[in-house]
Amino acid sequence: MDLKELKISLEEDIKSCSNLEDLEKIRVKYLGRKGLIKEYFKKLKDFSSDERKSAGKTLNELQERIKSFIEEKSKEFEEKRKPSIDLFIPGRKSETGSLHPISIVLKEIEEIFTGMGFEVVSGPEMESDYHNFEALNISKEHPTRDEQASFFVEEELILRTHTSPVQIRVMKSRKPPVRIIAPGKVYRVDPFDPSHSPVFHQLEGLYVDEGVSFAELKGTLEIFAKEFFGADTEIKFLPSYFPFTEPSAEVAISCAICKRKGCSTCGYTGWLEVLGCGMVHPRVFENVGYNTEKYTGYAFGFGIERMAMIKYRIPDIRLFYENEIDFLEIFK
Ligand code: DAH
C-alpha cells in the first residue's frame, strides 16, 4: 500500500465511522503498535532522503489528522450515548393537597366559639364506662345505652359514643369557671349508610360558672347558628331529654336549603334538628364534685358531619371518608 492508498483508505474509514466502536477500530488500524502508520514509518529507511522527508511529513500529518479526528468524535459519540432529554414531553403538574372538609368545617366552628371565649380541649377516644356513661347520669340499665351501642375494648373500656365524657374530665380537673368546646371522633355500632357512619365527629360545649342561665345558652347557640349558616338563619328550641341535662332541649334551624318553604331535606317541615343541649344536671355536678348551690352551667353537643352536610349540601355522609378526589377538590 503506497501513501496515496493509505490516505484513501483512511478517508473511507473516516467517512463510514459512526460510533465509538468504529473509532476504536480506526485507532488500532492506524495508530496501534502494528498499525499502518507505524508500519509505514518503518518502511521509510528504504526511501531516498528526499522521499523520506516528504513521506515523513505526510505521515506526520496523517497521524495528527487521525488523532484529532478521534478526539473530536469520541466526545461527540459519548454525548450521543447519554439518554436524551425530550424537551417536548408535557410537564407533570404537581398537585397540592388541601384540608379535609371536616377539618375546614371544624376550623370554622372553632373560630366562632373561641371568638365567644371558649377554649378548645380534647379527650381520649378510648373511654371508661364511668366517663362515657356513669358520671353522665347514664346508669347500666338506662335505655340510652342501647341507642348508643358501643364498641367494647374490654369489659369497662369502650370507644367513646359521644364527646360528652370530656365534660367530666374537664370538670374533674378544673374549678369553675370553665368554658370549653371539645371536638373529636366518636364511635357507634351503626350501619354505614347515607346518614350514618360507625365513626363520625362531634363537638361538645360546656360553660359552668356562677349564675349561668338558659338564656345565655340560647343566645350563644343563636349566634353560632347565624354565624355558621348565615345571618338569616332562625333557630328554635324544642323540649327534649338527655340524662345529663335538666331541662334538655333540641335545637332546630330554619332549613338552609328551602328557607322554611319545605323540601325533601327537611322532610317538608322547614326545620332541621341540629343539636342537643340543656342545663347541666345537678347529679353530674355532684359526680365531679362541683357545688350545686353555687354553680350552674349549660352543655351542648352536635355532629360535625351533619353541620357540614347542611351547610354545604352534601347528600351522603360516606363522601367524607371515601377520599374521592373530585369531592375533596370542591373544598380546595
Ligand atoms: N351527647 C349527646 C349525643 O351524643 C349530645 C348532647 C346532648 C350533648 C345534650 C350535650 C347535651 O352536651 O347537653 O347524642
Side-chain angles (χ1 to χ4, degrees):
M1 195 190 280
D2 64 17
L3 259 183
K4 211 169 169 187
E5 285 167 340
L6 184 68
K7 254 188 184 170
I8 290 167
S9 146
L10 176 65
E11 288 311 322
E12 271 170 8
D13 285 343
I14 282 179
K15 228 191 250 169
S16 63
C17 171
S18 65
N19 54 41
L20 280 173
E21 287 71 36
D22 291 347
L23 209 56
E24 178 59 10
K25 275 185 203 149
I26 291 176
R27 194 190 62 78
V28 174
K29 180 172 173 184
Y30 295 94
L31 305 181
R33 266 196 307 134
K34 290 197 173 135
L36 292 172
I37 301 281
K38 281 266 159 57
E39 293 297 315
Y40 220 102
F41 268 119
K42 280 183 200 156
K43 279 193 214 158
L44 290 185
K45 61 180 189 309
D46 306 326
F47 286 23
S48 70
S49 74
D50 273 358
E51 278 175 333
R52 199 185 302 144
K53 232 189 198 169
S54 82
K57 194 172 162 235
T58 309
L59 280 176
N60 277 330
E61 281 168 6
L62 284 178
Q63 188 162 280
E64 279 315 303
R65 163 125 172 77
I66 297 165
K67 276 186 186 162
S68 62
F69 177 77
I70 287 174
E71 197 179 324
E72 182 191 320
K73 283 288 168 183
S74 62
K75 269 190 211 144
E76 191 183 309
F77 293 147
E78 285 290 354
E79 269 320 302
K80 272 196 194 151
R81 239 191 212 191
K82 287 183 192 155
S84 57
I85 298 165
D86 185 346
L87 298 172
F88 296 96
I89 290 176
R92 259 184 248 150
K93 214 166 81 188
S94 60
E95 298 285 344
T96 52
S98 61
L99 285 178
H100 189 277
I102 295 290
S103 304
I104 293 171
V105 168
L106 178 56
K107 222 168 114 184
E108 287 177 19
I109 296 171
E110 283 180 357
E111 269 168 24
I112 297 170
F113 281 110
T114 52
M116 291 191 279
F118 286 79
E119 176 196 346
V120 184
V121 301
S122 63
E125 287 172 28
M126 240 198 299
E127 230 353 323
S128 66
D129 184 275
Y130 173 77
H131 288 96
N132 195 86
F133 294 125
E134 213 70 37
L136 287 162
N137 199 29
I138 307 170
S139 61
K140 284 264 194 284
E141 305 76 35
H142 202 286
T144 303
R145 292 220 182 195
D146 291 339
E147 274 165 42
Q148 300 193 1
S150 337
F151 291 104
F152 279 81
V153 181
E154 288 167 16
E155 179 76 26
E156 295 289 310
L157 198 60
I158 56 167
L159 297 181
R160 67 180 179 189
T161 59
H162 52 176
T163 43
S164 302
V166 187
Q167 289 187 32
I168 303 299
R169 290 186 176 272
V170 170
M171 287 191 282
K172 278 201 180 241
S173 63
R174 302 186 193 182
K175 294 256 155 298
V178 292
R179 200 193 318 226
I180 57 101
I181 51 169
K185 286 196 190 81
V186 299
Y187 304 81
R188 289 182 194 182
V189 184
D190 272 345
F192 199 39
D193 67 25
S195 51
H196 294 88
S197 165
V199 189
F200 62 101
H201 298 76
Q202 278 194 343
L203 184 132
E204 195 75 15
L206 175 73
Y207 178 34
V208 183
D209 201 353
E210 287 179 46
V212 175
S213 69
F214 198 91
E216 277 183 86
L217 169 62
K218 287 183 85 172
T220 304
L221 292 179
E222 184 166 357
I223 288 170
F224 165 69
K226 285 184 188 299
E227 287 207 17
F228 185 72
F229 291 109
D232 57 349
T233 307
E234 296 170 66
I235 77 166
K236 68 175 180 183
F237 284 72
L238 307 154
S240 187
Y241 170 77
F242 298 102
F244 37 91
T245 44
E246 182 59 36
S248 303
E250 202 110 8
V251 171
I253 58 159
S254 53
C255 180
I257 293 163
C258 64
K259 306 278 173 219
R260 280 187 61 192
K261 286 194 190 75
C263 67
S264 60
T265 304
C266 59
Y268 301 94
T269 62
W271 295 92
L272 296 163
E273 279 170 20
V274 290
L275 64 83
C277 62
M279 300 305 290
V280 179
H281 199 293
R283 234 177 263 156
V284 174
F285 278 159
E286 279 164 19
N287 290 340
V288 298
Y290 276 12
N291 182 345
T292 54
E293 295 300 317
K294 195 170 174 195
Y295 298 114
T296 52
Y298 64 72
F300 57 89
F302 56 78
I304 294 170
E305 280 84 344
R306 179 152 169 80
M307 292 294 183
M309 287 168 79
I310 295 169
K311 180 164 180 174
Y312 296 105
R313 302 182 190 193
I314 297 161
D316 193 322
I317 197 171
R318 292 171 294 192
L319 286 164
F320 290 115
Y321 319 115
E322 284 165 348
N323 284 334
E324 286 287 343
I325 296 288
D326 288 347
F327 172 69
L328 297 175
E329 275 189 335
I330 300 169
F331 296 87
K332 240 185 188 174

